[in-house]
Amino acid sequence: MNLNLKRLYHVCNPERACLDGNLPSLQWRIRCIDIRERQGAALLANDRAAGLIEFPSLSIPADLNEVDELTRTSAAISWVAVVTNAHLNDPEIGRIVRTRCVSYIRLPAAAEMVAQELDRAYEMSAGDGSEHTSANAGSVALIGACAAMSDVRAAIRNASEHERPVTFIGESGSGKTLAASSIHRGSSRREGPFVSIDCAAFAPERVETELFGESGGEEIRVEEGNQRSRLSMAEGGSLYIDGICELPLSGQQRLADMLDTGARNVRIICSTHIDLQRAADEHRLHARLFSRLSPDTITIPPLRERGPDIRLLATHLLKSFRSDSRHGVQGFSVCAWEAFDAHTWPGNLQEMINRIRHAIVASDGTLITAVDLGFDQTASVPMMSASGDDDDIPEWDAVELAIARNQGRLDAAATELHISRVLLARMLASDSRRSVATPGELRMDSA
Ligand SMILES: Nc1ncnc2c1ncn2[C@@H]1O[C@H](COP(=O)(O)OP(=O)(O)OP(=O)(O)O)[C@@H](O)[C@H]1O
């Protein structure tokens, strides 16, 4: 027996369930939960588990109380709803889907898509919580799977192999400091110090001294208190100069001199949120420093342009911080995902971290909602599902004819109607004329 099977609870009315052909059979141990036989008992998920609620097979509204109770009491399971458009417009189903489920699948849905959604839900489930960590996000690797972040990682790897100054360009909170430290950690200087200075944090007359030390002297002491300059602290390692355009031009000139002569054993990494050419044109970047920095720049994309990485990062951050939760937060609800996707993230990763940390403490359930995350409301956000648009739905007369012509065989009828068998089964299950259906053919085997 394969002990590594993933647990899936399939909640449905087995007589009307239509997903049997579309559930992943490999790697999963599926248990069918007959909604008619449940009497309020919670499902205990000591291990990780995903759950699938097949709404089209249920009696609506009769079964909704049971589903509400089940998802409330079995919140350790990552629930995925299977719905039709009509279900999404039902206020009670909409509430359950938005606040208790981590995602939903709109019928018709391809088997691969169902498997993908269940995998994702399973990854989010926490089981007994043994994998909870309280990692500091500042110490984590640069997370991201989108093409732009793959390019960034490749550029970082490349920059780790040479000693030329590198400049990161990106919005506030997008990950420039983390990327700079990644270069240092990947370079031959990794055993040396990684020192940073935020030029915007000092008054213009102060920042140069902080960076280089007292002018004219040994460039060691920056003030009476024996404090060393950042350059001397970074000796043998890397110096990250955050906000290079905020360094006064005289300081930029000194930095260009230093790079020209190679006088210090310090690798220079800079960052700015504006384009270098523009900064030079506007005389915010010294011409000589511009020619030193411009050959090696790496642009960090804003979070709003990273597509699916937004969910990847949110999931990662939640795992990092959820041990702070009083209620054993397990994941995000559908409305939270929708809010994530709709938001423009002006504060980028830093904003996401702040929102998730706040939500973990604020949440009084096991799923974080849009409101927990500090988003105003959820109603205006359009519902989005993992599945694509519906097939063209055939007229009822055509459905009845096709079923009659094929002696009740749904596969053959669906082929004739040019729709998926799932859609046909769903139409039969959800319409009052479903007496034409042959329920026996739609049975879901329990495992
Ligand atoms: N791709 C990523 N994966 C994981 N964590 C990230 C990623 N990018 C940024 N972070 C985290 O987000 C936070 C903000 O990132 P960081 O400080 O590097 O941004 P920044 O661009 O330097 O911000 P600022 O311009 O305000 O200095 C940090 O805690 C960092 O560890």
Side-chain angles (χ1 to χ4, degrees):
M1 188 172 95
N2 184 351
L3 295 175
N4 294 323
L5 292 178
K6 295 181 271 190
R7 160 94 46 212
L8 171 64
Y9 294 103
H10 178 198
V11 177
C12 60
N13 173 344
E15 285 185 3
R16 289 159 46 186
C18 58
L19 274 180
D20 48 347
N22 278 20
L23 288 182
S25 47
L26 291 175
Q27 301 168 347
W28 288 89
R29 180 181 309 156
I30 303 173
R31 192 174 138 206
C32 181
I33 306 294
D34 188 338
I35 198 74
R36 300 162 306 175
E37 290 175 5
R38 276 189 37 81
Q39 278 156 356
L43 292 169
L44 297 176
N46 293 323
D47 299 318
R48 306 173 82 178
L52 192 72
I53 307 166
E54 196 179 327
F55 281 97
S57 76
L58 306 184
S59 297
I60 309 290
D63 290 335
L64 288 186
N65 271 351
E66 202 58 56
V67 174
D68 188 36
E69 187 61 11
L70 178 66
T71 50
R72 190 183 66 76
T73 54
S74 308
I77 297 165
S78 283
W79 292 105
V80 176
V82 176
V83 289
T84 64
N85 282 341
H87 290 125
L88 292 178
N89 294 330
D90 179 295
E92 181 56 6
I93 298 177
R95 180 187 67 77
I96 293 173
V97 172
R98 282 169 174 274
T99 59
R100 302 276 173 74
C101 299
V102 296
S103 72
Y104 65 90
I105 298 167
R106 198 172 43 162
L107 292 178
E112 304 77 55
M113 207 273 298
V114 175
Q116 195 182 324
E117 280 307 299
L118 290 176
D119 274 337
R120 217 174 63 174
Y122 183 80
E123 286 309 312
M124 283 179 208
S125 70
D128 60 6
S130 56
E131 48 133 30
H132 291 189
T133 63
S134 57
N136 167 8
S139 68
V140 301
L142 210 62
I143 309 264
C146 69
M149 286 309 288
S150 300
D151 290 348
V152 168
R153 266 198 299 275
I156 286 173
R157 271 196 303 278
N158 180 270
S160 302
E161 282 160 19
H162 65 72
E163 289 270 291
R164 294 189 300 275
V166 169
T167 304
F168 285 103
I169 300 163
E171 292 180 8
S172 176
S174 58
K176 300 183 295 297
T177 309
L178 183 59
S181 71
S182 302
I183 290 186
H184 173 75
R185 280 185 276 121
S187 75
S188 57
R189 294 175 174 269
R190 68 179 73 88
E191 302 299 331
F194 176 77
V195 176
S196 66
I197 177 168
D198 178 0
C199 295
F202 295 92
E205 63 278 11
R206 181 82 209 135
V207 60
E208 215 175 315
T209 310
E210 190 71 30
L211 180 55
F212 296 101
E214 294 291 358
S215 55
E218 283 294 292
E219 294 186 352
I220 300 279
R221 301 182 193 291
V222 291
E223 55 187 18
E224 303 76 32
N226 268 354
Q227 208 182 318
R228 297 163 69 207
S229 73
R230 303 292 167 109
L231 254 179
S232 62
M233 285 161 66
E235 197 72 27
S238 309
L239 176 64
Y240 172 56
I241 306 176
D242 190 1
I244 185 65
C245 297
E246 313 308 317
L247 183 66
L249 289 177
S250 57
Q252 293 186 18
Q253 192 173 355
R254 283 173 80 180
L255 186 63
D257 289 345
M258 195 196 95
L259 290 168
D260 284 345
T261 58
R264 306 294 294 252
N265 178 19
V266 176
R267 166 74 182 279
I268 298 295
I269 306 173
C270 300
S271 79
T272 174
H273 57 90
I274 53 171
D275 177 66
L276 287 191
Q277 182 65 63
R278 199 180 110 208
D281 293 347
E282 293 173 357
H283 305 291
R284 295 167 68 182
L285 187 61
H286 192 281
R288 247 174 348 102
L289 189 58
F290 170 73
S291 58
R292 273 276 162 191
L293 299 185
S294 57
D296 291 282
T297 60
I298 301 175
T299 300
I300 309 273
L303 184 56
R304 66 184 157 279
E305 288 175 12
R306 296 192 208 170
D309 276 7
I310 292 177
R311 292 177 177 226
L312 190 73
L313 282 157
T315 305
H316 166 80
L317 292 171
L318 181 66
K319 279 188 181 164
S320 299
F321 299 129
R322 68 182 166 192
S323 60
D324 297 344
S325 158
R326 287 169 298 145
H327 300 282
V329 162
Q330 303 290 342
F332 297 102
S333 62
V334 167
C335 63
W337 290 126
E338 289 169 349
F340 276 140
D341 290 341
H343 191 51
T344 54
W345 299 108
N348 293 287
L349 259 296
Q350 192 56 59
E351 179 187 350
M352 183 182 263
I353 290 171
N354 296 346
R355 284 186 184 274
I356 290 176
R357 293 205 86 154
H358 172 268
I360 285 171
V361 177
S363 169
D364 57 7
T366 52
L367 285 189
I368 287 177
T369 65
V371 172
D372 296 333
L373 288 160
F375 294 113
D376 280 351
Q377 36 78 31
T378 60
S380 67
V381 184
M383 289 281 257
M384 288 180 294
S385 78
S387 58
D389 290 332
D390 277 352
D391 287 357
D392 284 340
I393 299 184
E395 295 293 328
W396 258 106
D397 290 350
V399 170
E400 287 180 343
L401 258 178
I403 291 175
R405 236 191 325 260
N406 291 284
Q407 283 115 36
R409 283 179 294 116
L410 296 195
D411 281 340
T415 307
E416 185 180 319
L417 290 162
H418 303 292
I419 61 172
S420 64
R421 198 182 82 113
V422 173
L423 175 59
L424 178 56
R426 186 254 288 180
M427 289 180 71
L428 297 172
S430 61
D431 196 277
S432 56
R433 278 179 276 189
R434 62 178 163 257
S435 53
V436 297
T438 50
E441 288 189 56
L442 308 177
R443 190 174 51 82
M444 168 70 203
D445 291 332
S446 57

